[in-house]
Amino acid sequence: MVHAALSPTAHLFSRFDHPLQADGSDTSQEVGLMAFIGQAAFSFAGFFSGQLMRFLLNLVIARMLGPDALGMYALALAFLQVTEIVAVMGLDAAMLRYVGKARGSAERPAVLIASGLKGGMLFSLGLAVLLYSASEPLGRMFGGDELLGVVIAAYALALPFTVMISLGGHAMQAVGHVEEKVLTGQVLFPLCLVVVTVLFGLSGNPAGALLFPMPLAAVTISVWTAVRVVRITGVGPRAVIAASFHRGMYRYAVPLMFVGFLGMLGHWLDIILLGAFCTAADVGSYQPAVRSAGLLRSFLLAFSGVAAPMFATLYSQNKGAEVAALYGGTTRLLVAAVLPAWALLSVMPKEVMTLFGAPFVASAPLLVMLAAGVLVQAVSGLGDTMLQMSGHARFVALNSAGALLCQMVLGLLLIPQYGVAGAAAGVVGAYVLAAVLRSIELKRVIGTAGLTQQLWKPVAALLPSVLLVIALHPFVAGFGAVGGLGVGAVVLCSCYALILALTGFFRDATAGGLAQQFFMSKNA
């Protein structure tokens, strides 16, 4: 049974189902607005912390172990995450949708959660055995290092536990505890990975620093997740074992599994193709650039995590105008948030790559190219969330398939000749194609592509801010890589925020304004 006492941030969700108090009086909109703002802030902070932790993990491996080890880590992680997305079977998004629709019942959400956890755990065990069995040939095919096969085998052992972390986090989010999902998957898990890697690295055991952190961290955090799931949702081991497979939820989930697989394969395809055509050292030199650019993705993850249940709720009530307004407003905030981060990576790429060590400075041009591609994905990626939550997952599947095919073709053509630059070009091409397809489909589904003329304010604020940082770059460079990035970020963000304030952006499109628009549509 789902616990009745929800966290403060969960008032956002509990209010949707029970707009009136027991005495018939309407709850305060101000409480709901503050809940929305608090949840959005916590979600963003958590997702961004997770990205920073993973960035730090790559930095630690690069600094302590070098490009070869970083390349093996990236390849093993690629195989783990591609397999994990299949093991999850799309049940993460399916639980969000079905549990959200069943919030009027005290029992049904727990039944749905137990069903999702059971299916994911059983499937993950079979796939873990399959990945473990294939680890040795995979190590020979990608990078050709015997140690790589051993690392893949160690990561295969972690698979059932990473699936538990993922599904358990989504189960808690489904009942209004998104903060638990963020804390578990985006803070504790990557933090544990960093700590264990550093400990093994400092002990003078480089092979152990590659082999043991993933399984140890996965087991530890999955136990934490299981305990939290029991306390928050009331779903324990007995309920999971006794659960049946909910046909409707699984029918909804299976197409999402293919969507997720295509998306995750596309996410790691550049690494996989580099491993097939080049060496682990080449993969290692490429990984810091792609991971640094991936920091921009945290903005998309944070906004989509908060917006997904809202899109689903409004769309299920046939409130098309409200859906379009909420999507457009959220996109404006997303664009405004991600632009300065992209600008910093693009203006100071050498300083960013210097953080990983001297062998990686040559990858600075790759960072500029990849940051541009990830910016396109971050700005347009909220469209995938909108399409999924509105029941148009087939569009997302087609987009993912088209982008994957584009990236594969470009990678096969360019990587053998241009190496890491060819891999980066394939990523950018795939992101641009997916963005164009999303825009067309969103115009058809909700009547807007999200990118409107109201985005001129963030763009106008960014240009003079970037020019100021470029002008100050010779002075900023004297502070070193870390100091220079810090000073550049302060200057850029301060100037950017000031111009946004002067143009009235915060008055026109604040998080509170979006939340108020949503709450008003719910109470209409």
Side-chain angles (χ1 to χ4, degrees):
M1 180 182 294
V2 179
H3 288 194
L6 299 180
S7 66
T9 55
H11 283 100
L12 174 66
F13 296 95
S14 59
R15 176 164 158 71
F16 293 167
D17 297 318
H18 305 286
L20 299 180
Q21 299 287 6
D23 61 359
S25 61
D26 191 9
T27 55
S28 171
Q29 280 200 5
E30 286 75 10
V31 173
L33 297 182
M34 292 307 297
F36 175 87
I37 295 171
Q39 186 185 43
F42 189 92
S43 179
F44 173 77
F47 279 120
F48 194 69
S49 296
Q51 291 293 322
L52 284 178
M53 289 291 181
R54 291 175 175 88
F55 177 87
L56 180 60
L57 178 61
N58 281 266
L59 191 150
V60 167
I61 296 175
R63 283 279 188 177
M64 300 182 73
L65 306 178
D68 283 330
L70 184 59
M72 284 187 279
Y73 160 76
L75 284 165
L77 185 62
F79 291 119
L80 171 64
Q81 292 197 346
V82 170
T83 309
E84 179 186 327
I85 204 71
V86 177
V88 169
M89 294 195 299
L91 291 168
D92 47 0
M95 280 196 296
L96 287 179
R97 190 169 193 264
Y98 274 75
V99 173
K101 290 171 63 178
R103 291 296 295 275
S105 167
E107 296 293 337
R108 191 162 179 76
V111 172
L112 292 167
I113 289 170
S115 176
L117 291 176
K118 181 175 183 177
M121 294 307 298
L122 287 176
F123 200 26
S124 68
L125 289 172
L127 289 178
V129 173
L130 182 63
L131 181 60
Y132 185 90
S133 302
S135 59
E136 185 178 349
L138 286 174
R140 291 196 302 266
M141 292 171 59
F142 297 90
D145 195 304
E146 182 179 352
L147 179 58
L148 175 59
V150 180
V151 176
I152 295 173
Y155 280 34
L157 297 177
L159 178 61
F161 304 100
T162 61
V163 169
M164 176 61 205
I165 294 171
S166 176
L167 289 179
H170 281 83
M172 291 185 285
Q173 180 185 1
V175 296
H177 286 258
V178 68
E179 75 282 358
E180 292 284 348
K181 171 195 168 186
V182 172
L183 178 64
T184 300
Q186 299 298 328
V187 178
L188 295 180
F189 187 38
L191 176 60
C192 191
L193 279 171
V194 171
V195 171
V196 177
T197 301
V198 170
L199 291 177
F200 274 97
L202 292 177
S203 68
N205 186 357
L210 281 176
L211 291 172
F212 300 120
M214 181 62 71
L216 289 177
V219 171
T220 302
I221 304 305
S222 67
V223 171
W224 166 275
T225 304
V227 172
R228 298 303 298 166
V229 167
V230 172
R231 293 190 62 182
I232 291 172
T233 70
V235 177
R238 290 183 179 179
V240 173
I241 294 172
S244 59
F245 299 108
H246 188 277
R247 293 184 179 180
M249 186 171 69
Y250 276 77
R251 279 196 299 266
Y252 178 82
V254 169
L256 295 182
M257 177 187 71
F258 289 103
V259 171
F261 172 75
L262 293 176
M264 187 61 71
L265 183 59
H267 177 71
W268 286 107
L269 186 60
D270 49 351
I271 295 292
I272 294 172
L273 289 178
L274 276 174
F277 288 104
C278 303
T279 65
D282 292 321
V283 176
S285 67
Y286 177 84
Q287 175 69 0
V290 73
R291 172 53 65 186
S292 300
L295 290 173
L296 301 178
R297 200 173 290 114
S298 61
F299 294 90
L300 171 61
L301 294 175
F303 278 86
S304 63
V306 174
M310 298 181 180
F311 290 153
T313 301
L314 287 176
Y315 200 87
S316 66
Q317 297 178 349
N318 296 318
K319 295 186 175 182
E322 288 84 352
V323 170
L326 182 65
Y327 176 75
T330 307
T331 300
R332 289 197 299 276
L333 286 177
L334 174 58
V335 171
V338 76
L339 280 179
W342 164 76
L344 187 67
L345 294 178
S346 300
V347 173
M348 307 183 72
K350 288 186 178 180
E351 286 80 359
V352 175
M353 290 296 97
T354 301
L355 297 177
F356 293 88
F360 301 94
V361 176
S363 299
L366 295 177
L367 175 57
V368 176
M369 185 185 304
L370 289 165
V374 179
L375 175 67
V376 173
Q377 184 202 33
V379 169
S380 65
L382 196 63
D384 278 348
T385 305
M386 177 70 254
L387 291 169
Q388 286 182 4
M389 294 299 104
S390 61
H392 293 84
R394 66 184 184 280
F395 286 144
V396 182
L398 292 174
N399 296 346
S400 299
L404 179 64
L405 180 61
C406 174
Q407 185 178 355
M408 183 173 294
V409 171
L410 290 176
L412 292 173
L413 291 175
L414 299 177
I415 289 177
Q417 185 172 358
Y418 300 103
V420 291
V427 170
V428 175
Y431 286 162
V432 171
L433 174 62
V436 172
L437 294 176
R438 284 189 204 105
S439 179
I440 296 172
E441 291 154 0
L442 286 169
K443 188 69 175 178
R444 173 182 172 183
V445 172
I446 64 173
T448 178
L451 303 180
T452 67
Q453 60 183 3
Q454 298 183 45
L455 296 176
W456 72 267
K457 290 181 180 179
V459 175
L462 183 69
L463 291 176
S465 305
V466 169
L467 292 176
L468 178 60
V469 173
I470 292 175
L472 295 176
H473 190 268
F475 169 75
V476 170
F479 291 93
V482 176
L485 283 171
V487 173
V490 170
V491 171
L492 177 66
C493 293
S494 299
C495 182
Y496 180 71
L498 177 62
I499 298 175
L500 281 182
L502 292 175
T503 60
F505 177 83
F506 297 114
R507 181 177 63 252
D508 298 338
T510 62
L514 288 176
Q516 186 169 12
Q517 181 182 66
F518 181 71
F519 279 104
M520 289 175 63
S521 70
K522 285 294 297 178
N523 296 327

